[in-house]
Amino acid sequence: MSRIYIQEPTITAQTADSSSYFSLTNGAVCLDGNNPDSTGASEFVLYYMWKGSGELTADKKIYNLFPGDFYICRPGDNRSFVPNSSVQTEYYWFSFSGSMASEILASIKFASKEKYYIGHSNEVTTLFDRVLEEAKNAEPNSTLIASAYFTAALGIMSRLAIHILPQDPTVNQDKIAPAISAINSDCTSKLGVDEYAKMCNLSTSYFTHLFTKSTGYSPLEYKTRQRINIAKNLLATTNLPVKEISTITGFKDPLYFGRCFKRTTGQSPSDYRTKK
């Protein structure tokens, strides 16, 4: 996903003369804790998770969203979304309304309130990117074109959900739960992928496949990101030298630590500390 727009200006994409017919009102690609959801109770809201995970509360039910999952909140739902702060999260968010919105969802088999899984669909994200591009450029007929792209994306998501299901990614989460728990508890350990796979009674290759599919990261990348999160906290809250923080977080080579830190955060450890 090359286009990242946080809290884009309002998109109003009417498909008929009456604004109550169908209106795409807002959209964004959200990173980590940036959640632009400030729409009213009368809105439909779509969440499509690309990286990481998060906990969505809607209609007094809790849904854990993992990469490839999406959920459409209904008007009147008391909703909230909390991304998993331990890993980078990235997800699409759109709100829409109108008297025809329910009929459109029903016609493409999204009438029920449930979590759907479609995996990583570049076809869908390309359409979503075009929606946001139209909103950004505000060219003539942009609202109409944005609405058409969004409706097409919903149709493709329905098709994918029908063909991919029944596949419950939470089953994969259960299978790799011992490894995730071990990494979260002690991300500085010297355990490798083979050891984590044995914890889950899985072959190394199958474990790596399930882990990456479920979290959006390989086991080692997930572990590295956990270590970088600890380093970020130490840089922000202590005066410890960068070399010592490197050792504490399990990096023997400070230079390698610096490369990993910059690759993950976009800043060197020193720059991160200065800006904090």
Side-chain angles (χ1 to χ4, degrees):
M1 296 190 295
S2 58
R3 300 184 180 93
I4 304 297
Y5 305 129
I6 302 299
Q7 294 186 331
E8 275 300 300
T10 297
I11 309 164
T12 301
Q14 300 172 12
T15 58
D17 292 336
S18 170
S19 62
S20 64
Y21 187 74
F22 178 78
S23 179
L24 174 61
T25 53
N26 224 325
V29 182
C30 306
L31 297 177
D32 296 329
N34 293 308
N35 186 354
D37 190 357
S38 60
T39 55
S42 61
E43 304 279 341
F44 291 83
V45 176
L46 180 147
Y47 293 87
Y48 175 35
M49 182 63 65
W50 190 261
K51 285 184 178 180
S53 61
E55 184 178 276
L56 173 67
T57 301
D59 196 25
K60 298 181 180 180
K61 294 182 180 179
I62 296 176
Y63 303 88
N64 290 304
L65 300 186
F66 301 105
D69 287 339
F70 74 93
Y71 186 89
I72 301 174
C73 300
R74 271 37 179 196
D77 285 353
N78 184 14
R79 64 180 182 272
S80 66
F81 182 72
V82 181
N84 180 353
S85 61
S86 64
V87 294
Q88 181 185 8
T89 56
E90 195 169 327
Y91 59 96
Y92 279 92
W93 170 89
F94 289 96
S95 63
F96 55 100
S97 62
S99 59
M100 195 63 187
S102 294
E103 294 182 32
I104 292 174
L105 293 178
S107 69
I108 58 176
K109 312 302 182 185
F110 287 152
S112 60
K113 295 182 179 182
E114 59 181 290
K115 181 178 74 172
Y116 295 91
Y117 175 77
I118 59 171
H120 285 113
S121 172
N122 290 324
E123 189 175 10
V124 169
T125 56
T126 296
L127 288 168
F128 282 163
D129 285 341
R130 289 177 177 174
V131 170
L132 297 174
E133 189 73 23
E134 289 294 331
K136 181 181 179 182
N137 294 336
E139 297 288 341
N141 298 318
S142 283
T143 55
L144 181 63
I145 294 170
S147 177
Y149 283 143
F150 183 74
T151 306
L154 286 177
I156 292 171
M157 294 171 87
S158 173
R159 181 186 298 167
L160 290 171
I162 291 171
H163 286 303
I164 292 177
L165 290 176
Q167 179 178 353
D168 185 357
T170 59
V171 173
N172 295 340
Q173 286 287 321
D174 291 340
K175 289 180 179 179
I176 64 171
I180 290 179
S181 177
I183 294 173
N184 290 344
S185 299
D186 184 9
C187 61
T188 63
S189 74
K190 296 180 180 180
L191 295 177
V193 177
D194 290 343
E195 286 83 0
Y196 290 122
K198 288 178 182 178
M199 289 182 188
C200 304
N201 295 316
L202 299 171
S203 68
T204 301
S205 60
Y206 187 52
F207 165 75
T208 301
H209 169 74
L210 288 185
F211 196 101
T212 305
K213 186 174 183 179
S214 297
T215 67
Y217 301 97
S218 70
L220 291 181
E221 186 179 7
Y222 183 91
K223 187 175 183 178
T224 298
R225 285 179 175 274
Q226 295 289 73
R227 293 157 74 186
I228 294 298
N229 282 335
I230 294 174
K232 287 165 64 177
N233 181 60
L234 291 173
L235 287 166
T237 60
T238 74
N239 293 319
L240 292 172
V242 171
K243 184 176 180 180
E244 187 171 346
I245 292 176
S246 170
T247 302
I248 291 172
T249 52
F251 294 92
K252 291 184 177 179
D253 183 355
L255 293 177
Y256 179 65
F257 165 68
R259 289 196 297 270
C260 289
F261 192 95
K262 189 169 185 178
R263 185 172 63 245
T264 303
T265 67
Q267 304 175 66
S268 69
S270 298
D271 287 342
Y272 182 86
R273 168 172 274 168
T274 300
K275 292 179 180 180
K276 288 295 178 181

